[in-house]
Amino acid sequence: MEYENHPLLRVLNAQQRAAVTASLGPALVIAGPGSGKTRVLTHRIAWMLSELDVAPWHVLAVTFTNKAAREMRHRLDRMLGDTSTRPMTLGTFHATCARILRREAEVLGLSPNYLIFDTDDQLTVMKQVVADMGLDDKRYRPRSLLNAVSSAKNELLTPEHYPVRTYYDEIVVRAYVSYQEGLRKNDGLDFDDLLMETARLLQTDEALRDRYRDRFRYVLVDEFQDTNIAQYVILKQLALGHRSLYVVADEDQSIYSWRGADCRNITRLREDFPEVHEFLLEENYRSTQVILDGAQAIIAQNPDRTSKYLFTTKSGGYPVVLHEAYDEQEEADYIVLETQRLLRTGYKQSDVAVMYRTNAQSRALEESFIRHNIPYRLIGATRFYSRKEIKDVLGFLRFMLNPDDDVSFMRVVNVPPRGIGAGTVGKVAAEAQRLGTSLYRGLVSLVRSGTLRSRAERALTSFAALVHQWTVLRDELSVARLIDRVLADINFESYVRDGSDKGESRWENVMALRAVVAEASTVSLVDFLTDVALVADVDELADEVDAVTLLTLHGAKGLEYRVVFLAGLEEGLLPHSRSVDSPSEVAEERRLLYVGMTRAEERLYLTYAFRRGWRGYRGSEPSAPSRFLKDLPAEVLKQPEDRQHRGAKPSWSVTSWGTQSRDQRTAEPLPELRFKTGQRVKHTYYGEGMVLESEYEGRQEMVTVVFGNGIGVKKLLSHMAPMEPLPQH
Ligand code: ATP
Ligand code: MG
């Protein structure tokens, strides 16, 4: 083939070359992990720019994280040997939509300086909604309501279209309406709004749609299997113009359905673009044959999947190590000691990653890494930008940008403590309500009326004066200077540095923020705040540091490491206890394991603990190893007798599966069932009902109840459901 020696194609195999050089119409690359999907996408962009005369400003490329976007741009710049990709739009859906909406804010009735509300802000607004509606926040948990609203938005369901089946749904709709009002009143959008509003604008405003179709003539998407409906609609609306949509996907790696991702988007794409060209990539360049075999055996058990052929030339490889630890501490120590051993054989710390299902699992690991003096970096958990001192400083910046944002007002009005308590704020709130305006304007009105006289009220007056000055300075000073000014005006340093070690580290954080800002010296305040709001957990990875990476399986998408430890492979963790009752959720948990395993290049360790959290509140229930482990073929595993580093012999192990049933292993008498057939019950959301059946599934009581009011039959977990037996007559 004449192309073979083209510098952009030389480093690709024939299938990859075919995909990269496809014609400009719609294209779908479906391929397994490590087969070069991301590489193909990157080369495709370079190919379009350099060989197909595509202008970079007509390209929109969407990645799953900001970090992936940065890497892709960096690669492109290196490949093309210049910075011609600058005018290209390359980022996550959220970042792209945030920019579009900044431009189109007016149509939505927002100011171009609208703010993006993060999870905490959202919760603040929803709590207020629940309080205003006079609801009991135990029954109607703001967090649950937010989840419901979020799912609705991801499916582009406005309150008017939200399907109401139960009383709870009705509450959701009302909360949804008030919550949106709350956001708009504060000139805010939440993450889901960024997608939903963009999708709706593109659907309803023809002139606007045409403008963006003309702008984004070539749309490319990585990790397409994890797009949600709103994102698909955005892609479709844009691509229906020039019909140049290029996506890469792997259904087996779809792990975000709990956030609305819908891999049926692949089918939708085929329907909406029937002329789509499909490409397969079948060579895996990442992992050894052994790792690949293990991973393939796991995923092969999922129902309803199209199996994909995947091979590697890295035949053989180290066997997969399966390790049973006594508890999570021993598990952590095993991982750390094994890491230490590998470091002595020439691996770098940054070659190693430890992945787990839930953030809480990182604690034992961290302790052990600290104890053994191995540097690690923790992705997620307490994110830099969610630390209190950082949120405070950002709160001031946000408030400065938009003093009518009541959420920020509440955040900063008494930071550092100025003696402004609930009563004083109440007075402001009353004034704001009287005038039908924001808290800040309410405050200004009170100051003008001269009625603020007590000490707390005088504090309010000087606060108002400060804010006024800041809103003037906001347009004159750089973000860095603004921060300096705020820190000085409120004497933040002496507040934060209270003499304790924690205080010192808090102040270091503030200075780190100051440094980030100084680096981005040309950025405007609103752009800075947008960037900060869109930073996701995985984006905090600083690539240069040589440290072991600790991260959740969800955060591991697209990444690769020479050595991977997957910890906590137990029933209840993976699959997660929330998922075990639903076959489709169990299938997703299995994909999560598959994603984790396929991150490994050379060595893969799978660990589980016999008892977890037994020193904590969870009691000493033994845990069972993950059901997925029994699908691992014996050939890929290192045999147990090799595991001499363990002291005690495991009380039972996965290899003994054939001989011992699970119930024998965990044989402890089951407590009496809580519910009996015929028992009348009352459920918080579904109302009154009658138990049809109650039985143990595993060690959990599963109750089947028929409810009135058209709700019908529900299967519920006894210890989870908000449901009480009613007295029998
Ligand atoms: P995932 O599904 O995990 O996102 P992917 O399909 O996107 O994986 P890439 O990350 O693009 O795969 O590639 C996996 C690894 O293989 C990378 O290190 C990449 O550089 C390498 N690779 C891909 N194609 C080739 C090739 N033709 N020759 C050599 N290395 C390759
Ligand atoms: Mg990839």
Side-chain angles (χ1 to χ4, degrees), residues 602-615:
E602 296 165 21
R603 290 174 184 269
L604 175 62
Y605 293 82
L606 309 173
T607 68
Y608 55 93
F610 172 61
R611 285 176 197 278
R612 183 165 296 271
W614 67 282
R615 283 167 226 202

Side-chain angles (χ1 to χ4, degrees), residues 183-249:
L183 289 180
R184 292 306 180 273
K185 191 166 72 89
N186 292 311
D187 201 17
L189 291 176
D190 66 18
F191 292 112
D192 303 310
D193 281 338
L194 295 175
L195 305 177
M196 180 167 81
E197 297 299 351
T198 307
R200 290 207 305 171
L201 281 182
L202 290 171
Q203 277 178 321
T204 53
D205 187 332
E206 234 169 273
L208 180 144
R209 176 172 62 216
D210 288 345
R211 252 189 301 128
Y212 282 96
R213 278 185 182 172
D214 190 51
R215 169 73 202 267
F216 298 129
R217 296 184 195 171
Y218 310 97
V219 182
L220 302 97
V221 190
D222 198 1
E223 307 273 4
F224 179 72
Q225 75 280 355
D226 271 326
T227 50
N228 62 31
I229 292 185
Q231 290 165 336
Y232 181 71
V233 167
I234 292 168
L235 293 175
K236 178 176 153 183
Q237 287 303 332
L238 290 174
L240 279 179
H242 292 264
R243 303 189 80 82
S244 186
L245 177 61
Y246 193 102
V247 312
V248 307

Side-chain angles (χ1 to χ4, degrees), residues 11 16 32-39 253 285-286 560 599:
V11 288
Q16 292 174 330
S35 60
K37 292 185 297 300
T38 304
R39 181 186 274 222
Q253 294 187 68
Y285 288 90
R286 180 178 296 145
E560 54 193 20
R599 301 307 94 200

Side-chain angles (χ1 to χ4, degrees), residues 112-395:
N113 285 348
Y114 76 81
L115 288 168
I116 299 169
F117 276 36
D118 69 13
T119 327
D120 288 346
D121 305 330
Q122 288 177 270
L123 200 57
T124 309
V125 176
M126 191 53 99
K127 278 183 180 156
Q128 189 60 46
V129 166
V130 170
D132 290 348
M133 286 169 66
L135 295 172
D136 172 3
D137 63 2
K138 300 273 177 324
R139 257 188 205 198
Y140 301 100
R141 288 180 42 239
R143 240 176 248 283
S144 317
L145 291 170
L146 275 178
N147 282 341
V149 169
S150 169
S151 313
K153 288 181 177 178
N154 287 331
E155 291 179 32
L156 299 180
L157 285 173
T158 54
E160 306 87 74
H161 296 108
Y162 193 88
V164 175
R165 284 183 221 105
T166 62
Y167 180 61
Y168 187 73
D169 294 339
E170 224 171 277
I171 297 288
V172 169
V173 170
R174 280 166 48 204
Y176 187 178
V177 172
S178 315
Y179 171 75
Q180 288 305 92
E181 281 167 7
L183 289 180
R184 292 306 180 273
K185 191 166 72 89
N186 292 311
D187 201 17
L189 291 176
D190 66 18
F191 292 112
D192 303 310
D193 281 338
L194 295 175
L195 305 177
M196 180 167 81
E197 297 299 351
T198 307
R200 290 207 305 171
L201 281 182
L202 290 171
Q203 277 178 321
T204 53
D205 187 332
E206 234 169 273
L208 180 144
R209 176 172 62 216
D210 288 345
R211 252 189 301 128
Y212 282 96
R213 278 185 182 172
D214 190 51
R215 169 73 202 267
F216 298 129
R217 296 184 195 171
Y218 310 97
V219 182
L220 302 97
V221 190
D222 198 1
E223 307 273 4
F224 179 72
Q225 75 280 355
D226 271 326
T227 50
N228 62 31
I229 292 185
Q231 290 165 336
Y232 181 71
V233 167
I234 292 168
L235 293 175
K236 178 176 153 183
Q237 287 303 332
L238 290 174
L240 279 179
H242 292 264
R243 303 189 80 82
S244 186
L245 177 61
Y246 193 102
V247 312
V248 307
D250 179 5
E251 305 103 304
D252 290 331
Q253 294 187 68
S254 164
I255 52 174
Y256 276 91
S257 70
W258 52 285
R259 255 177 21 189
D262 186 350
C263 62
R264 281 173 302 181
N265 281 342
I266 296 177
T267 319
R268 296 193 178 101
L269 177 98
R270 287 184 177 127
E271 282 164 12
D272 291 329
F273 300 88
E275 77 275 32
V276 66
H277 275 280
E278 298 207 16
F279 298 91
L280 298 176
L281 310 176
E282 295 173 313
E283 175 160 4
N284 172 298
Y285 288 90
R286 180 178 296 145
S287 313
T288 63
Q289 187 70 56
V290 170
I291 292 171
L292 212 53
D293 286 347
Q296 299 279 81
I298 295 285
I299 200 67
Q301 298 299 320
N302 255 3
D304 306 328
R305 65 179 279 274
T306 344
S307 80
K308 286 191 283 287
Y309 175 62
L310 203 59
F311 74 97
T312 171
T313 55
K314 297 185 193 170
S315 59
Y318 300 102
V320 175
V321 180
L322 188 63
H323 177 82
E324 181 196 76
Y326 180 66
D327 61 8
E328 76 263 36
Q329 248 127 52
E330 207 200 275
E331 179 185 50
D333 287 345
Y334 167 75
I335 290 172
V336 172
L337 291 176
E338 195 59 22
T339 300
Q340 227 161 25
R341 196 180 66 77
L342 292 175
L343 294 177
R344 284 197 296 271
T345 67
Y347 284 94
K348 294 200 305 269
Q349 282 140 2
S350 55
D351 290 331
V352 181
V354 188
M355 300 171 190
Y356 36 79
R357 177 68 177 85
T358 64
N359 273 312
Q361 287 169 258
S362 70
R363 196 185 49 85
L365 290 161
E366 280 187 90
E367 281 170 8
S368 191
F369 275 107
I370 290 171
R371 232 178 308 122
H372 293 91
N373 233 334
I374 299 182
Y376 68 89
R377 52 188 179 165
L378 179 68
I379 315 300
T382 325
R383 299 171 40 201
F384 179 74
Y385 288 107
S386 31
R387 291 173 196 280
K388 178 173 184 308
E389 61 277 12
I390 299 300
K391 289 210 73 164
D392 282 344
V393 177
L394 294 174

